[in-house]
Amino acid sequence: MREYLKFYIDGQWVDPVEKKTLDVINPATDEVCGKIAIGSAADVDKAVKAARKAFASWSRTSREERLEVLQRILAEYQKRFGDLANAVTEEMGAPASLAQRAQVPAGMGHLATAANILKDFKFEEERGSTVIVKEPIGVCGFITPWNWPLNQIACKVAPAIATGCTMVLKPSEVAPFSGHIFAEIMHAAGVPAGVFNLVHGDGPGVGVALSSHPEVDMISFTGSTRAGIEVAKNAAPTVKRVHQELGGKSPNIVLDDDVFSKSVARGVAQMMTNSGQSCNAPTRMLVPSKRMDEAISVARETAEQITVGDPNGNATIGPVVSEVQWNKIQGLIQKGIEEGATLVTGGPGRPEGLDKGYYVKPTVFANVTNDMTIAREEIFGPVLSILGYETIEQAIEVGNDTEYGLAAYVNGADLDKARDIARQLRAGQVSINGGSDMTAPFGGYKMSGNGREWGDYAFHEFLETKAILGYAPIQAAE
């Protein structure tokens, strides 16, 4: 039983101002696996003041000093790899294999990427007599989610450290263990006091206080669009920068060619990864209508090979994160049935033999139309919708017919055609045939958010632009 009853503020582990705790549930067993302290506006104020104090000196450190700190953080992170993997599996149900192969390495990747970019990043540019300077924005508030906890913590913290910002982190109270260990890593790495602070808590108690605090210069939030809107409203009176990485309903256009079966199978497997709990999951597969029956056959076979079970065993996917999420997913599966989509495999209820834990059957719907609820709403579970198209133009139109625009996918043998389609899809990141790149910018169009994370684009989110005129006066001609 884990107990994390202190916060990390100004380089020390401190008691909360008010003693209040929250039980953390293991989604695989439906049982309490730990307890955390829950913060308040008073704790946030202490953490922000520590960050503000530290900013005066940290913002003036050299590139080399910040690079050394990042490298120490990465070294300590690697030492705690096993602890982090165990925490992720326990708190949000990721299979041990996924935690070790993707969840924990993702955080490590962002730290390493930020260090590499920092070596050559241009913070100043001369334009005649003017110097344009990129300066750290200040104190940053981070509110991170439970689905890829370390990925989302590291992709905010790493560029903030690299650019000279200070920060206060509120990890998800649903999956807080890995965030707490991350704070231990920062302490062990000797990050100067006040540069990084952690306060556990929920949205109303800590999230609102952080996003509305007048001494927070930027709030970076990852989560649902609904919650992101509330964060923006809370931040508006203080005119702070708001960065949001929100929901998605990503289209996956499968081309009519000789690799069709392979493309469908890849789309199903990618959709089901992490129990479908990825904001950029390819949730809407678009296939040629004339090949719908073939798509159904391949999708059924692929989905039924996915095993669901104990995340500490050999299962492909574990549970979804909570009872709230399980109930939401069940309701949307039922909605798909009621609205007339073809249930290919899966469906309501737990998989056979799993009587406790928040397990969901890998579910595939076919003959879905884009006006159905399961094609419009983000389900955030292992549920795929297959839609038919008559022409590529129609596929692109349907693909773009969503309030979201986080990611999109194109799969097929004709690379030129795939490239042309990718350019027409209104999404912040488009993947062709499974392409991936941790240095590429990640973020959304439309209601999927504002700003970009990952790689060098992330650095710009944490920087203000200052123009110093007359910095190098032009010499008069003799």
Side-chain angles (χ1 to χ4, degrees), residues 150-174:
L150 290 163
N151 177 78
Q152 289 308 128
I153 290 171
C155 78
K156 298 180 194 300
V157 170
I161 291 285
T163 54
C165 294
T166 59
M167 64 216 74
V168 179
L169 168 67
K170 186 202 91 66
S172 169
E173 72 277 19
V174 176

Side-chain angles (χ1 to χ4, degrees), residues 323-457:
E323 183 178 13
V324 169
Q325 287 297 120
W326 191 88
N327 286 332
K328 176 192 171 188
I329 294 163
Q330 296 302 312
L332 285 165
I333 290 173
Q334 189 60 43
K335 195 79 170 174
I337 294 169
E338 291 170 0
E339 292 185 358
T342 302
L343 180 61
V344 174
T345 188
R350 290 183 174 86
E352 189 175 348
L354 296 172
D355 299 325
K356 63 178 182 177
Y358 308 125
Y359 296 98
V360 177
K361 299 173 185 175
T363 298
V364 176
F365 284 103
N367 298 306
V368 176
T369 57
N370 210 44
D371 58 348
M372 290 181 181
T373 304
I374 56 172
R376 308 304 298 181
E377 291 190 20
E378 187 176 37
I379 299 173
F380 231 60
V383 182
L384 173 67
S385 297
I386 305 179
L387 300 82
Y389 67 84
E390 302 302 326
T391 65
I392 288 295
E393 291 74 22
Q394 184 193 25
I396 293 167
E397 182 181 351
V398 171
N400 287 333
D401 181 16
T402 171
E403 65 184 11
Y404 298 111
L406 185 60
Y409 301 79
V410 187
N411 284 276
D414 188 334
L415 187 56
D416 286 339
K417 181 184 285 188
R419 287 168 172 164
D420 182 59
I421 293 168
R423 289 183 180 276
Q424 297 179 69
L425 291 169
R426 299 281 296 166
Q429 196 173 89
V430 185
S431 173
I432 297 175
N433 293 328
S436 63
D437 181 358
M438 188 161 261
T439 69
F442 183 73
Y445 288 22
K446 299 185 281 188
M447 293 192 77
S448 286
N450 293 295
R452 293 295 181 268
E453 296 183 314
W454 302 18
D456 56 322
Y457 277 79

Side-chain angles (χ1 to χ4, degrees), residues 207-356:
V208 171
L210 194 56
S211 55
S212 61
H213 200 290
E215 290 195 70
V216 170
D217 301 293
M218 170 186 175
I219 190 80
S220 181
F221 170 83
T222 300
S224 70
T225 297
R226 176 195 56 76
I229 291 168
E230 292 305 310
V231 166
K233 287 179 178 178
N234 294 330
T238 50
V239 199
K240 57 173 57 71
R241 184 177 297 176
V242 178
H243 171 268
Q244 303 156 309
E245 195 263 279
L246 308 175
K249 196 68 184 175
S250 304
N252 176 14
I253 297 177
V254 179
L255 303 185
D256 184 5
D257 56 29
D258 293 341
V259 297
F260 180 79
S261 294
K262 180 180 177 182
S263 297
V264 171
R266 178 193 289 130
V268 174
Q270 192 168 5
M271 172 63 237
M272 301 299 172
T273 299
N274 204 40
S275 299
Q277 299 172 122
S278 299
C279 48
N280 61 340
T283 52
R284 291 182 299 143
M285 181 183 290
L286 288 93
V287 303
S289 296
K290 64 185 180 182
R291 301 187 76 167
M292 179 63 76
D293 289 346
E294 186 180 348
I296 288 172
S297 177
V298 173
R300 178 187 290 114
E301 181 181 357
T302 306
E304 290 180 355
Q305 289 175 357
I306 294 170
T307 55
V308 186
D310 182 359
N312 288 302
N314 297 316
T316 311
I317 63 175
V320 296
V321 76
S322 68
E323 183 178 13
V324 169
Q325 287 297 120
W326 191 88
N327 286 332
K328 176 192 171 188
I329 294 163
Q330 296 302 312
L332 285 165
I333 290 173
Q334 189 60 43
K335 195 79 170 174
I337 294 169
E338 291 170 0
E339 292 185 358
T342 302
L343 180 61
V344 174
T345 188
R350 290 183 174 86
E352 189 175 348
L354 296 172
D355 299 325
K356 63 178 182 177

